Amino acid sequence: MAEAPKPDSTTILASDCSFKGEMSFEGSMRIDGRFEGKIGSKGRLAVGKGAHLTADVTVGQANIDGNLKGNIVAAERVELTSSAVVAADLRAPKLVVAEGATFVGNVHVGPDALKGAEKSEFVVPMAATPIKK
Amino acid sequence: MGKLPDKRLVRCPRCETPLEVSRNAKSTLCPGCHQNVRTEDDAVDTYCARREFFTEGEVTVGKKGVLIAEVRVVRLVVQGEVKGTVQARESVVVAKTGRVYGDIRTPVLSVEAGAQVTGRCEFGPGLAQLRAPEPAVDAGVSAA
Ligand SMILES: [Zn+2]
C-alpha cells in the first residue's frame, strides 16, 4: 500500500526496511524500520514505535517512540515518549521525557549541555584521535 | 464508621526490610537494621545539605530549595536543585525549573522541557528488557 507523500517532505525508512551505514538528511526523517550506523542532520529525526536503531545520532531534534542504542546529541531537543526504550548517552539543551519511557545511560541536559560536548569528556578517547599539529 | 486498616507497606531504605506502618506515622524503627526510618512526606524549600535524605514518602524540592544529599524516597518532585544520587521507588518528576546533578534511578521519570539533568539515568518499565542479553541487532539487517 503506497502512502500518500507527506506535505512536509519527510523521508521515511519504512518498517519493513533495514539500513546499515551513514545517513544524512535535510528537513525531517522518520525511521520505522531497522537502522545501524550514523545519522547526522540539522533537522528532525523521528524514531517510530517499532523501530530499532543502533546508532550515533547527531541531529537538531529527535523524537523517540521506539528503540535506540548508541548516542544522541541534539542541538535543540530530545523527546522520549512513553513507548521509548533507549540505551544511550544523551546530550541536548532540552529533554522531555514522558511517563513510561525507559532509558539507561548518561544524560547531560541543560543550556550548557553542548558546550561540554566540545571537550574531551563525551568524544572519542584520546588514543583514538589522530594527532594533528 | 468502620475501622479501616489505615496501614501501608514501606521498605527500609537501608536494608529493604518490609515495614508496615500506619498511614500517618512520621517514622518507625526498622527491626532489620535497628535504625530509625522516616516515613513522612517532606518539602525542601531552603538550602539543605546532609549525607542522607531518606524518607519513605513523597518529597518536593521547591523552586528555592537546594537539596545536597544522597536521596532515597518514594516519589520526588524537583522544582529547585538536587545534587546527589537519587533513588525513588515510584517516580521522579523534574519540573521545568528543576535541576538534578547526579544519578537517577526510578521506574518512572518525567522531565519537562527546560529542566537540567546531568548524570547517569536509569528509568522505565522496560529496564529488564534493556539489561537482558538482546537478540543480535544484525538479525534481519542486511547492508543496503
Ligand atoms: Zn533497615
Side-chain angles (χ1 to χ4, degrees):
Chain A
M1 210 165 61
E3 266 183 64
K6 302 238 162 114
D8 60 347
S9 78
T10 302
T11 310
I12 298 178
L13 186 73
S15 58
D16 50 357
C17 285
S18 58
F19 183 96
K20 215 173 190 175
E22 276 188 42
M23 178 145 64
S24 61
F25 61 89
E26 301 264 326
S28 64
M29 161 110 211
R30 181 179 175 86
I31 298 181
D32 287 318
R34 284 176 176 270
F35 180 93
E36 213 183 310
K38 272 189 180 178
I39 297 172
S41 172
K42 285 179 179 164
R44 216 181 95 96
L45 173 73
V47 176
K49 204 172 175 179
H52 283 263
L53 277 72
T54 305
D56 279 338
V57 176
T58 308
V59 291
Q61 289 184 39
N63 199 305
I64 300 171
D65 294 329
N67 301 271
L68 188 143
K69 232 180 171 176
N71 290 307
I72 308 171
V73 179
E76 291 159 47
R77 65 192 270 153
V78 174
E79 257 186 84
L80 305 180
T81 69
S82 58
S83 58
V85 178
V86 176
D89 285 345
L90 190 156
R91 220 175 244 284
K94 279 188 179 174
L95 170 69
V96 179
V97 178
E99 226 181 276
T102 297
F103 180 93
V104 175
N106 295 309
V107 172
H108 200 132
V109 165
D112 299 332
L114 297 177
K115 287 180 197 160
E118 287 149 26
K119 293 176 195 154
S120 61
E121 189 194 343
F122 199 65
V123 206
V124 231
M126 286 297 279
T129 316
I131 298 156
K132 281 179 194 162
K133 285 198 175 172
Chain B
M1 285 228 280
K3 249 176 112 182
L4 284 168
D6 204 15
K7 299 243 175 184
R8 65 184 181 119
L9 199 68
V10 299
R11 276 176 185 276
C12 172
R14 295 185 179 83
C15 70
E16 295 293 316
T17 301
L19 309 163
E20 200 182 43
V21 296
S22 86
R23 203 159 284 277
N24 48 17
K26 288 192 156 66
S27 70
T28 188
L29 191 74
C30 171
C33 62
H34 306 288
Q35 295 202 58
N36 193 50
V37 175
R38 284 174 75 208
T39 54
E40 62 188 334
D41 295 344
D42 202 355
V44 176
D45 288 308
T46 53
Y47 180 90
C48 169
R50 53 176 88 162
R51 200 164 65 82
E52 299 169 343
F53 193 98
F54 296 172
T55 183
E56 289 299 293
E58 178 168 321
V59 172
T60 303
V61 178
K63 276 189 188 174
K64 291 183 176 164
V66 176
L67 175 58
I68 301 176
E70 182 185 344
V71 179
R72 290 186 202 168
V73 298
V74 176
R75 287 177 300 277
L76 179 68
V77 177
V78 184
Q79 291 155 355
E81 186 170 308
V82 173
K83 270 186 187 154
T85 304
V86 173
Q87 275 187 56
R89 291 190 196 282
E90 288 179 13
S91 63
V92 174
V93 176
V94 188
K96 60 178 190 287
T97 53
R99 304 172 301 281
V100 178
Y101 307 103
D103 300 350
I104 304 176
R105 280 179 87 173
T106 184
V108 177
L109 176 72
S110 323
V111 176
E112 291 177 7
Q116 295 182 42
V117 178
T118 302
R120 182 171 177 82
C121 295
E122 291 190 13
F123 56 84
L127 279 180
Q129 183 188 334
L130 279 180
R131 291 202 185 109
E134 292 200 0
V137 184
D138 279 293
V141 177
S142 55

